[in-house]
Structures are given as structure tokens and as C-alpha cells.
Amino acid sequence: MITIYGMRASGNCYKLQLLLDQLGRDYRWVDVDSAHGETRTAAYLARNPNGKVPLLELEDGRLLAESDAILCFLAEGTAFWPQDPWLRAQTLQWLFFEQYSHEPCIAVARFIRNWLPPDHPRQAELPSLLQRGAQALAVMEQHLATRTWFVGERYGIADIALYAYTHCAGDGGFDLSAYPNIRAWLARVQAQPGYSPMQH
Amino acid sequence: MITIYGMRASGNCYKLQLLLDQLGRDYRWVDVDSAHGETRTAAYLARNPNGKVPLLELEDGRLLAESDAILCFLAEGTAFWPQDPWLRAQTLQWLFFEQYSHEPCIAVARFIRNWLPPDHPRQAELPSLLQRGAQALAVMEQHLATRTWFVGERYGIADIALYAYTHCAGDGGFDLSAYPNIRAWLARVQAQPGYSPMQH
């Protein structure tokens, strides 16, 4: 059986929970609290030198890091990750958008507001994160104006990757009431077979 | 013929120049100066709502953003992007590492030092960027201690993506003399057939 090393309240880790639950696939989950240093121990760094969760371990011990790379690997051969080269390219475009333009603002704002003390110096980052995160949400809102799903009119790993931190963007101080297309899409994701909520 | 919209001195754009030159493939290059607002015009945002370079345009007008997604698409069916699922997974792992843990430190430090005035408030970000960028370089240095290339002992798009901003990391204030494995790997990349340098 495969093993996921992850933190349940991390959106990057939740992506894998959601895909695996929707695939109906068995997996072992090992809690690793990255917010309290558990990804910086020598034992963990031996598994993932970049010191981050999630991490996938296969039955034979092979290891794979980076949430969106793991999504692609686990979705291979399923309807969540289409074979068509152009659909794959568009999926990868949204996965890289998620990790570069979305997560570093929306997830980091959530982390600062919910995991760091109110007098922590990183609180000063919030105004910039809220501004740049709103730009990412605006790109998504515009894209969803004429589409049901992010790629190819079929629910897939681009939706899963973007859902993870968008559905809890309020935790970071983002007001989703300004994004009706995003809110309707979030509800569509939640209505998908096998959907499982993030555990806070 | 395909078109690349890009800025020659941007590492993200240079990745595509390097791959296309190594593939010996013809392409049209349209200069877009993202450092001076040319990605924020209405005309450009109509092509890429996320307002970034590079952007790929196919002969039929289809558009693809995100440098590493474009690398995967252009390398499909070539030796630069192997078919084996595990090699693909590892390649994607390094591409996401590049966009999340490497580029936001090493490329941004280079941008701040070379494109912003010395009294710009973003100069204050440099100490943190240098610290986090050094962590990314340390992960690469360790990986290359026992390997010739990043994935599967064959030169490919993971190397191209990581080469783009690593070879000019000195522009951002990083001292590569502390990373002998990286320096040897940079020399191996430069010796590959079809290699073309970044145009500053």
C-alpha cells in the first residue's frame, strides 16, 4: 500500500487525500506536522531533502515529493488526468499557476494568520499577499465565466489542485463573495463522487 | 511556425530558447519586456490573463502559459521528456521544485539587484531570498553528488528548467564556488549539442 506523509490541515497534502478518496484507493497516512518542525528532522530530510510535505512513498520504498507532481503520478491512467497532449499541457499550465501565482499568496496568508502569533514580523507580508492572491482569484474567476471545469470540461487534477487552497481562502482573509464563478465551481467540486472534506 | 512571447534576459523565457535550439526547431520570438509593463497591457492580458512571460502560441492560435508546462509540451515525443511514468514523475517533481523553491528566491534576487533601483523597498527582501535560495542550491548540490543529470541519468527538461536561473545565480548575489557539483553540472549542460547562451 502507498504511504502519504502529510499534514491534514495543509492544502498541498489535502490534494492527495481528495484524489485518493475520489479514486477509491487505499493508502496509509502518516501525520507530519510541518508547522512545528517535523519536516526539518534528520530522519525526514533523509526522505525529502527539500523538507516539505506531502511526500509519497511507494510499496517498494521509492519516494516522490511536490504535491502537484504526486497528483499527476497518482492520476496516471485515470479520467482525472487525460491522455490528450493539449489537455495535459493545459492541466500542467494550471498546476504551475497554482504553485507559482496562487499557493504562495493564498496558502501563505492562511499560514501567517492561523499558525503565527499576532505579533510575528511575517504579519507585515499580509497586505501584499492579499493583493497578489486577489489577482490569482481574478484569473480563476475570469476563466470560470465560460467553463464548468478548468480543463477540457471535465473534472480533473487541475480542479483538485486549485480547490485545495481556494476553498479555505477565507482563512487567509480573502472574501470569496466577490467571486461568484469560483463559488459555484467550489460547490461543483464538493458534489463530485467520493469528495472528502479537509480535516482541520 | 510556433511563436514565443518572451523577454530574452528572463530565465523562464530562456528555458524555451534553449530547448528549441537543442531540438533544432524553428520558432518566431516576439520580445515582450515584462520588466517594463509590457505583460500588463490589455492586448497582452487578452492572450495571457495572468500577465506573465513566456507564452507559447501555436500555428492555429492556441496559447499556453507557464514556462515549465511549455517545456513539457514542446518536449513531448523527444528524448528530453521520457515516456516512463516514474521518470516523468521525477521530472515533474524537479520542475515544481524549480518554480516553488528555486525561482522565487534565485530569480527574484536577480531581478531586485539588476532591474530595481538601489533604494527600492524590495531590496529589503534580499537577505531572506539569499538564505532560501541557498537552501535550494544545497538540495541540488546534494542530488548531484551521485548523479550526472537530475533525472534518470539523461539530460532533459528538468536540467533545462534548473539551468536557466542557476547558471546566472551570481547576478542575484549567490556565490556558486560553494557548490562544486552544481558547477560541474552547469559545464555539462553547456557542452550539450545545440546549446545556446542566454542573451542579456
Side-chain angles (χ1 to χ4, degrees):
Chain A
M1 191 185 303
I2 62 170
T3 301
I4 305 293
Y5 297 87
M7 184 169 99
R8 288 285 188 185
S10 150
N12 284 327
C13 300
Y14 169 59
K15 294 170 189 173
L16 307 186
Q17 173 200 313
L18 182 52
L19 174 67
L20 289 165
D21 287 350
Q22 294 191 305
L23 288 171
R25 185 161 172 185
D26 290 333
Y27 59 97
R28 191 168 71 103
W29 185 283
V30 176
D31 282 317
V32 176
D33 187 351
S34 63
H36 293 92
E38 291 184 11
T39 54
R40 310 303 305 179
T41 66
Y44 192 83
L45 290 169
R47 290 178 185 275
N48 180 6
N50 202 30
K52 296 190 191 302
V53 283
L55 181 70
L56 169 69
E57 184 171 12
L58 302 185
E59 292 84 345
D60 61 9
R62 281 181 293 169
L63 296 159
L64 186 66
E66 299 294 335
S67 60
D68 289 356
I70 300 171
L71 276 184
C72 293
F73 181 73
L74 293 175
E76 186 64 54
T78 78
F80 294 87
W81 179 217
Q83 293 284 338
D84 174 77
W86 187 247
L87 296 177
R88 291 215 156 193
Q90 291 174 282
T91 299
L92 287 172
Q93 174 191 282
W94 285 108
L95 296 182
F96 284 106
F97 166 85
E98 191 267 333
Q99 283 288 285
Y100 194 87
S101 298
H102 183 286
E103 201 267 13
C105 311
I106 296 174
V108 173
R110 177 172 176 261
F111 173 75
I112 290 172
R113 280 172 52 116
N114 294 275
W115 274 268
L116 297 183
D119 60 348
H120 194 283
R122 292 198 65 186
Q123 299 286 345
E125 297 174 25
L126 283 174
S128 166
L129 294 175
L130 287 169
Q131 185 199 353
R132 290 186 291 127
Q135 288 175 13
L137 293 172
V139 170
M140 294 170 64
E141 179 73 7
Q142 178 185 334
H143 187 73
L144 290 168
T146 54
R147 292 171 183 88
T148 305
W149 306 111
F150 271 88
V151 177
E153 292 308 304
R154 183 162 196 170
Y155 177 70
I157 55 175
D159 300 288
I160 291 175
L162 286 163
Y163 177 82
Y165 281 110
T166 304
H167 88 289
C168 58
D171 296 350
F174 296 91
D175 179 5
L176 291 182
S177 68
Y179 306 96
N181 299 330
I182 288 178
R183 284 188 295 125
W185 164 76
L186 293 175
R188 289 194 293 274
V189 174
Q190 288 156 10
Q192 286 295 298
Y195 174 83
S196 67
M198 186 157 76
Q199 298 171 31
H200 293 276
Chain B
M1 193 186 299
I2 61 171
T3 302
I4 305 292
Y5 297 88
M7 183 169 101
R8 289 284 187 186
S10 150
N12 284 325
C13 300
Y14 169 59
K15 294 171 189 174
L16 307 185
Q17 173 199 312
L18 182 52
L19 174 66
L20 289 165
D21 286 350
Q22 294 192 307
L23 288 172
R25 186 163 172 183
D26 289 334
Y27 57 98
R28 192 169 69 105
W29 185 284
V30 176
D31 282 318
V32 177
D33 187 350
S34 63
H36 293 91
E38 291 184 12
T39 55
R40 310 303 306 178
T41 65
Y44 193 82
L45 290 169
R47 290 178 186 273
N48 180 7
N50 201 32
K52 296 190 191 301
V53 282
L55 180 69
L56 169 69
E57 185 171 14
L58 302 184
E59 292 83 346
D60 62 7
R62 283 181 291 169
L63 296 159
L64 186 66
E66 299 294 335
S67 60
D68 289 356
I70 299 170
L71 276 185
C72 293
F73 180 74
L74 293 176
E76 185 65 52
T78 78
F80 294 87
W81 178 216
Q83 293 284 338
D84 174 78
W86 187 246
L87 296 178
R88 292 215 154 191
Q90 291 173 281
T91 299
L92 287 172
Q93 173 191 282
W94 285 109
L95 296 182
F96 284 106
F97 165 85
E98 190 267 333
Q99 283 288 285
Y100 193 88
S101 298
H102 184 286
E103 201 267 15
C105 311
I106 295 173
V108 173
R110 176 172 176 261
F111 174 75
I112 289 172
R113 280 172 52 117
N114 294 277
W115 275 268
L116 298 183
D119 59 348
H120 195 282
R122 290 198 64 185
Q123 300 285 348
E125 298 175 24
L126 283 174
S128 167
L129 294 174
L130 288 169
Q131 184 197 355
R132 290 187 291 126
Q135 289 175 12
L137 293 171
V139 169
M140 293 170 64
E141 179 73 8
Q142 179 185 332
H143 187 72
L144 290 168
T146 55
R147 293 171 182 87
T148 306
W149 305 112
F150 271 89
V151 176
E153 292 309 304
R154 184 162 195 171
Y155 176 69
I157 55 175
D159 300 289
I160 291 175
L162 285 163
Y163 177 82
Y165 282 111
T166 303
H167 89 288
C168 57
D171 295 350
F174 296 92
D175 177 7
L176 290 182
S177 68
Y179 305 96
N181 299 330
I182 289 177
R183 284 188 297 124
W185 164 78
L186 293 174
R188 288 194 293 274
V189 174
Q190 288 157 11
Q192 286 294 299
Y195 174 83
S196 66
M198 185 156 77
Q199 299 170 30
H200 293 275

